[in-house]
Amino acid sequence: YTHLGIGPQVGYQFNKHFMAGTGIKYYYSKAKLTNYDHKDNLLGLNLFGYTYPLPFITVFVQPELNYISSRLTYKSSGEVITSNGLVPSLIVGAGFRVGYTHLTLNYDLVQRSNSPHPDGFYLGISAFF
């Protein structure tokens, strides 16, 4: 199994209560299993915003749009199934700010089946400088 990704983001701290920015990401995944091979390519764009009601508390929102291209190849028959399309996500979260790090509990409000984000709640860690 191979999973590679890069996702730089650029933001600006407007004041002590608000930071916002944008980002781009690319993920490549490949799995060679007993019965089939599976490959995914994802290219995504996002906006993000953090607000700080207290210096150590953060609330987070990140709308994003991802283009996903998938290829599934069955080894026994050679049958190939491809799918391509746009997958929106709207990530919300809340947690703690410690120095230059955020530790948040996040949730994708859209919950699409082919979303790059996990189902349900998940931990997010970000560092900025």
Side-chain angles (χ1 to χ4, degrees):
Y1 186 81
T2 302
H3 182 80
L4 304 170
I6 186 167
Q9 293 188 306
V10 177
Y12 183 74
Q13 182 83 41
F14 292 93
N15 56 45
K16 65 180 183 175
H17 297 289
F18 184 68
M19 178 173 55
T22 188
I24 188 169
K25 64 182 169 185
Y26 173 76
Y27 297 156
Y28 170 80
S29 297
K30 179 179 175 181
K32 290 189 173 199
L33 303 169
T34 305
N35 298 324
Y36 61 88
D37 293 339
H38 185 229
K39 292 182 185 177
D40 282 331
N41 286 282
L42 177 146
L43 181 62
L45 297 170
N46 67 60
L47 301 172
F48 66 88
Y50 289 92
T51 186
Y52 307 102
L54 296 171
F56 59 92
I57 299 291
T58 185
V59 178
F60 160 72
V61 64
Q62 180 172 302
E64 61 184 44
L65 188 59
N66 300 297
Y67 178 80
I68 300 175
S69 174
S70 295
R71 180 183 177 101
L72 181 66
T73 305
Y74 290 96
K75 293 180 179 178
S76 60
S77 65
E79 178 185 8
V80 176
I81 299 171
T82 61
S83 67
N84 304 302
L86 293 173
V87 180
S89 296
L90 180 57
I91 311 306
V92 295
F96 299 100
R97 178 180 184 173
V98 180
Y100 295 105
T101 303
H102 293 131
L103 180 64
T104 55
L105 187 60
N106 300 335
Y107 186 80
D108 181 0
L109 293 176
V110 179
Q111 289 290 303
R112 294 281 296 265
S113 62
N114 52 352
S115 171
H117 301 282
D119 292 337
F121 290 95
Y122 63 96
L123 184 63
I125 300 173
S126 61
F128 53 96
F129 49 95

